Amino acid sequence: HLASLCTAIVWPVAISTPAGPCMVIRETTDYESPLALEHFGAGIRMPILTSATGRTYLAYCTEPQREELLKLLACSSRPEDRLGHNRNEVQQILNETRNQGFGMAKRARRVSEETSLAIPVRVKEQVMATLSVRYAATAVPLSTAVEQFLPKMRLAVAKIESELNLV
């Protein structure tokens, strides 16, 4: 489903899962997308609080999972986990993610700021992964990405969930 989604969107898409205080890319179309600004492969770890995938996972996982992760992140001394020391700000980001129906994060790049959007992938009502897209903010306004990318991403997630829920 990722390859056909990448063909439809053109920008790189990825499936990521949680691994401790990080999200790990499990599958990606970075090498198939002609628009990938950087190439990330499977196994790359991303900070949970500052990535769209991590924010989405945290916003939609169960309350006990979220509490455990937030406790772990609050005790972390890693620079990328610094946000975990501000529970109010984290809660605001998670509420915004739920209200929007997707997670979002921006990263400064040399050429262009990069925006990522992510949505949850559920198996039997539980979030197991996230599906994300990365694109150059100067090339695609957020409103266009929400209008054009998210419906295609939701369709791909529905197909993935349908297959996973059969198992």
Side-chain angles (χ1 to χ4, degrees):
H1 299 292
L2 285 189
S4 60
L5 179 60
C6 180
T7 299
I9 291 178
V10 186
W11 294 95
V13 294
I15 291 277
S16 302
T17 60
C22 298
M23 293 296 287
V24 176
I25 295 174
R26 299 299 176 179
E27 189 175 346
T28 180
T29 63
D30 280 35
Y31 291 98
E32 287 80 35
S33 171
L35 300 178
L37 301 176
E38 296 175 271
H39 293 107
F40 298 114
I44 296 292
R45 297 170 95 67
M46 297 169 295
I48 208 161
L49 291 172
T50 56
S51 66
T53 59
R55 290 173 173 186
T56 299
Y57 181 80
L58 273 179
Y60 291 98
C61 68
T62 66
E63 188 68 31
Q65 288 171 312
R66 183 170 31 262
E67 282 305 312
E68 279 303 309
L69 281 169
L70 291 175
K71 283 180 194 172
L72 182 66
L73 293 164
C75 296
S76 174
S77 60
R78 298 179 338 152
E80 61 268 29
D81 296 334
R82 190 172 338 156
L83 181 59
H85 300 218
N86 186 338
R87 188 66 177 255
N88 289 335
E89 189 174 350
V90 170
Q91 198 56 54
Q92 184 179 348
I93 290 167
L94 299 181
N95 289 339
E96 184 178 297
T97 297
R98 285 187 212 98
N99 290 337
Q100 294 176 146
F102 61 90
M104 183 179 73
K106 295 180 184 239
R107 285 188 327 140
R109 307 304 322 140
R110 222 170 1 121
V111 179
S112 168
E113 186 174 73
E114 183 179 72
T115 302
S116 298
L117 305 179
I119 57 175
V121 177
R122 294 177 176 91
V123 178
K124 301 191 186 330
E125 306 291 319
Q126 199 160 357
V127 177
M128 301 303 266
T130 60
L131 173 66
S132 62
V133 61
R134 294 187 341 268
Y135 61 92
T138 53
V140 183
L142 177 60
S143 59
T144 302
V146 167
E147 184 181 299
Q148 293 182 9
F149 300 165
L150 283 177
K152 293 171 183 157
M153 292 171 68
R154 288 188 177 111
L155 184 60
V157 163
K159 291 176 184 176
I160 292 166
E161 289 176 343
S162 174
E163 290 174 9
L164 291 174
N165 283 311
L166 291 175
V167 176

